[in-house]
Amino acid sequence: MILAATSLLAITLAVPITRAGGGSGGGAGGACPGAPFPTDGNGFDPASFGPDAHVIDHRFFPLEPGTRWVYRGSSVEGRERVPHRVVFTVTDLTKEVACVRTLVGWDRDFVEGELVEKELIFLAQDAEGTVWHLGQYAESYDGPEFEGAAPWLVGYLEGAMAGIMMLDHPRVGTPVYSEGFAPPPYYWDDRARVVARGLETCVPAGCFDQVLLIEEFEPTKPGAFQLKFYAPHVGPVRVGWRGRNEEEREVLTLVRVVRLDQEAMARVRTGALAMEARANVYGLTSPLEEIPPP
């Protein structure tokens, strides 16, 4: 998401993406241009992913195509607290990024009822069960007006690094890990640590136990932390904060989880494909593809 993650810098589509250079490596697709990829100590390796890397069934982060999570809450704009809504949908599309077959998430962010951002998010699960974040394509809006876009993908932007969205076995005491990195002017550098397990929480969508709490932060914003609560077999159910930074005081709770029908999924597919068609990474990467039926 990812859910309420730090926004990318809005820039114009004219900013080019440079395909990372390097040798060749493994992975589901065989030879991997650009490998070995730079890492932030997480050990990303395309060879650790199989051909079904787009199947994400982690206990705390299950992403089944056709599932939509709706969150409501508030965030701070300037010095004013305003209504905030996030709608995250798992598409039935995949994209090969850094020789890994990723699953495509579609995130839409609304402030005071107006669309402010849309994102395509590229995620994959390795053979050990860790869920990885391999990049994003974000568009910024002012109501109906398109303002700019910020794409970054591992292997297609020099210096971009894959990050971990969910450890295979998240445990308290695990060292801080990166959730991904994109260098300026894109700049995305979220870090995370596991804070607690076995919690209970209630939100409009229901009450949950055995909840996992993960704390996220940016190195450039000391003292500001975003708290994400993950329920087993559901995923993120609550977003909170701690610290003194007023800008980070975002609050979201899960309102409902829905399964989309074929007609709704067709609209999702159309929206995602339209975004990729506008992205300047389209000519450098393999296009989005529908997941074949089982």
Side-chain angles (χ1 to χ4, degrees), residues 228-280:
K228 293 184 180 178
F229 297 76
Y230 293 81
H233 313 297
V234 178
V237 296
R238 180 185 292 277
V239 174
W241 56 271
R242 74 172 182 87
R244 299 178 180 178
N245 190 330
E246 182 69 24
E247 293 180 1
E248 302 303 313
R249 296 185 179 186
E250 184 172 44
V251 177
L252 292 169
T253 55
L254 180 64
V255 176
R256 63 182 180 274
V257 181
V258 296
R259 289 287 302 163
L260 303 183
D261 59 21
Q262 291 185 355
E263 183 177 347
M265 282 302 293
R267 292 195 294 269
V268 168
R269 199 178 308 119
T270 297
L273 290 170
M275 287 184 67
E276 172 147 304
R278 290 191 291 271
N280 68 338

Side-chain angles (χ1 to χ4, degrees), residues 187-201:
Y187 192 69
W188 203 93
D189 188 17
D190 278 11
R191 309 297 175 93
R193 65 167 65 90
V194 179
V195 175
R197 292 192 58 164
L199 303 179
E200 297 180 0
T201 190

